[in-house]
Amino acid sequence: MLVLFNKPYGVLSQFTSDGGRWQTLAAYITIPDVYAAGRLDADSEGLLLLTDNGALQAAIAGPQSHVTKTYWAQVEGVADTSSMAQLKRGVTLNDGPAKAVKASLLDVTEPWPRDPPIRVRKSIPDSWIELCIDEGRNRQVRRMTAAVGLPTLRLIRVAVGPWRVEGLALGQLRTLSDDEAFAALRRKSRRQAAFL
């Protein structure tokens, strides 16, 4: 089984507490024996996948999977085509180089209100960008945007591979069978191969 969950801000990607500072998945998900296929930091929001199938977990989040993850980042400062090009060319992080598969400017409004809201500074504008990566190092998107002078204020994962958060209200989940999940991954892989 694959669970698609729209994770709110302030929820850990685990079922046990870290001492009470953050909520856990147990407040939202009562399906037994599912575990996160990849992580999403407590201060990030959006699509989190969970599964009870080890092979599916490896196909989604294993070191050789290279399943893309797409994020919408609200960043401090004015993002432009030059900063998007720099993210696609690559930046150097303290754990090595990182580059976006895709980086583009977004003209969006807030997809849903965040609780608590981000801290806004009246004298500094903000922008929304879309960033797609195919690896998942710790806080990678935040570190990449900071490397081009655009610190992330809010981070929402909108897609993992073929699955998107659209249609899922904050805190809501949807389930797919293993067969449906593997079929979606195969379709996505064939589409990607056609572009290579």
Side-chain angles (χ1 to χ4, degrees):
M1 171 191 329
L2 182 68
V3 178
L4 284 66
F5 175 58
N6 188 352
K7 187 187 87 62
Y9 175 87
V11 177
L12 292 170
S13 295
Q14 61 193 43
F15 288 91
T16 55
S17 174
D18 68 341
R21 179 173 175 218
W22 303 102
Q23 277 191 313
T24 69
L25 295 174
Y28 297 90
I29 300 172
T30 58
I31 300 168
D33 302 322
V34 293
Y35 301 93
R39 299 192 60 79
L40 191 58
D41 294 330
D43 58 353
S44 299
E45 310 160 64
L47 187 61
L48 178 67
L49 302 179
L50 300 99
T51 184
D52 59 357
N53 183 314
L56 184 55
Q57 195 278 342
I60 294 167
Q64 303 304 316
S65 70
H66 299 289
V67 170
T68 57
K69 293 162 270 306
T70 305
Y71 297 85
W72 285 5
Q74 186 177 13
V75 295
E76 189 174 80
V78 178
D80 57 21
T81 55
S82 173
S83 52
M84 297 305 98
Q86 189 176 355
L87 288 165
K88 287 187 273 191
R89 278 193 310 273
V91 295
T92 302
L93 305 177
N94 61 355
D95 56 353
K99 67 179 181 175
V101 173
K102 183 173 87 173
S104 55
L105 304 171
L106 286 176
D107 183 19
V108 298
T109 55
E110 177 175 66
W112 55 75
R114 194 185 92 169
D115 184 24
I118 65 162
R119 180 180 57 103
V120 176
R121 294 198 276 182
K122 292 180 183 177
S123 61
I124 301 177
D126 59 73
S127 313
W128 283 91
I129 64 172
E130 182 175 81
L131 198 64
C132 183
I133 59 174
D134 64 358
E135 57 181 353
R137 289 186 264 165
N138 187 40
R139 300 181 76 77
Q140 182 176 343
V141 171
R142 292 176 188 277
R143 294 187 294 140
M144 288 175 70
T145 64
V148 296
L150 298 168
T152 294
L153 301 170
R154 185 176 181 192
L155 189 61
I156 300 171
R157 185 159 59 198
V158 295
V160 176
W163 302 287
R164 299 194 63 84
V165 77
E166 283 92 357
L168 284 176
L170 200 59
Q172 185 181 34
L173 60 87
R174 181 173 73 242
T175 61
L176 300 173
S177 70
D178 288 349
D179 288 344
E180 291 171 308
F182 279 115
L185 278 174
R186 283 192 297 274
R187 282 192 305 273
K188 176 82 171 180
S189 295
R190 282 196 299 270
R191 283 196 303 271
Q192 285 178 330
F195 290 107
L196 299 177

